[in-house]
Amino acid sequence: MSKSTLSEMIADAVKGIRKYTDLVPEIAMVLGSGLGSLADQVENPVEIPYKDIPGFPVSTVHGHVGSLVLGALEGHTVAILKGRIHYYEGRKMEEVIFPVRVLHALGAGTLVVTNAAGGIRDDLQVGDLMLITDHINFMGTNPLIGPNDDQIGPRFPPMSKAYTPKLQELARSLARELKMPLAEGVYVAMSGPSYETPAEIRMLKSFGADVVGMSTVPETIAAVHCGMQVVGISCVTNILHAGPSCDTHEDVLLAAAAAKPRFINLVRGIVREFQSV
Ligand code: HPA
């Protein structure tokens, strides 16, 4: 990163985005593997490739298109990160979380995070959607390591309610209304990119993790740090309770694509019912 301060870099990115639109998003979203098509449903969309936003890191992973889409969805203004940067791509954590900080600076007070994940808990099946009630950061690092910018958030942000209880309740009641099964559980983040060994799966299970993935936790930590509310949904794309998955990244994308209509229904519902608090 250059010598300019983090606040200056965020301001530069905001300025870059403001050349395209004045829209102030109420809700920011990060869409995971294979789930990006929700961004195509945005009304009056303004789509900006990451490469055209100052300071935005560009993803290299197949299935992760990189653009920011701003517009309206279910009567609310939204900013959607279509594709995310993963730590395993070799990027710095501060780059991984930069887009979330920029969306907060654009005005978003709430972050919806979504991901594809491997199901560890015995009852989880491929295609299940799971409300994230808590997380375990097992990435071996923390995105807030380094000097703290007090303008952005506190040095030691609490994570006791990282996934906003009110928004969890909203997602639950909405799923009941839609008669859509919605599992709940703990998401553990590993750095990846290798999938888990049998011993790692046993360890993660004994730690109390229900699903495992390679994202989401950095973005959630960054969002909580700057005072945003967070709601997270995982799509179980492969199961690990019988041992490591032989599934490939392509299988993961296919499973995510199959769950997409339900997933989109749920996320649209959350946005529709959303009332800022
Ligand atoms: N492990 C880690 N990350 C994942 C998996 C998995 O099994 N499935 C989807 N993302």
Side-chain angles (χ1 to χ4, degrees):
M1 291 224 167
S2 73
K3 284 211 193 72
S4 41
T5 66
L6 179 58
S7 294
E8 284 166 356
M9 288 183 64
I10 293 170
D12 271 358
V14 168
K15 215 164 107 193
I17 294 165
R18 288 290 172 239
K19 286 186 188 146
Y20 295 83
T21 175
D22 287 334
L23 183 136
V24 175
E26 296 166 81
I27 305 173
M29 292 189 207
V30 189
L31 301 180
S33 307
L35 303 172
S37 65
L38 176 58
D40 303 334
Q41 301 183 5
V42 167
E43 296 150 35
N44 303 319
V46 175
E47 181 157 7
I48 315 171
Y50 290 164
K51 66 174 174 47
D52 295 338
I53 306 174
F56 257 53
V58 177
S59 175
T60 54
V61 183
H62 174 63
H64 302 278
V65 222
S67 59
L68 170 64
V69 180
L70 299 118
L73 193 68
E74 299 286 358
H76 292 273
T77 51
V78 295
I80 300 187
L81 293 168
K82 200 168 148 188
R84 55 152 65 86
I85 297 298
H86 293 83
Y87 184 53
Y88 61 71
E89 292 175 63
R91 311 306 288 254
K92 292 195 186 125
M93 270 295 187
E94 65 197 60
E95 295 179 280
V96 172
I97 63 172
F98 184 71
V100 168
R101 288 174 155 168
V102 171
L103 296 194
H104 176 252
L106 283 176
T110 297
L111 179 69
V112 179
V113 277
T114 68
N115 57 57
I120 296 174
R121 201 175 65 213
D122 287 343
D123 63 297
L124 294 173
Q125 298 300 328
V126 170
D128 283 356
L129 298 180
M130 191 196 87
L131 176 66
I132 303 175
T133 55
D134 204 350
H135 74 221
I136 298 172
N137 177 11
F138 208 61
M139 297 184 99
T141 185
N142 187 295
L144 304 180
I145 287 175
N148 187 62
D149 185 338
D150 295 336
Q151 310 275 60
I152 295 174
R155 173 73 289 188
F156 301 108
M159 288 291 142
S160 53
K161 291 181 184 161
Y163 299 86
T164 312
K166 263 190 160 159
L167 293 179
Q168 288 186 47
E169 202 34 61
L170 188 157
R172 270 182 209 111
S173 64
L174 184 76
R176 274 195 300 271
E177 223 172 85
L178 296 172
K179 300 198 185 336
M180 178 190 289
L182 181 63
E184 296 190 18
V186 174
Y187 176 97
V188 61
M190 304 280 276
S191 72
S194 52
Y195 285 121
E196 297 70 33
T197 65
E200 286 167 343
I201 295 165
R202 287 195 297 276
M203 174 193 70
L204 296 173
K205 191 171 196 171
S206 74
F207 277 5
D210 299 307
V211 298
V212 55
M214 304 174 192
S215 67
T216 300
V217 164
E219 291 104 323
T220 295
I221 291 174
V224 173
H225 180 238
C226 63
M228 296 174 87
Q229 307 191 103
V230 180
V231 59
I233 312 278
S234 288
C235 174
V236 177
T237 52
N238 53 289
I239 51 169
L240 304 170
H241 32 81
S245 163
C246 298
D247 293 348
T248 61
H249 182 58
E250 280 63 39
D251 296 322
V252 166
L253 292 180
L254 279 174
K260 205 159 54 178
R262 278 179 300 122
F263 167 79
I264 286 180
N265 233 351
L266 183 63
V267 175
R268 285 189 74 120
I270 291 173
V271 174
R272 186 173 61 243
E273 304 295 324
F274 172 81
Q275 284 167 347
S276 49
V277 281

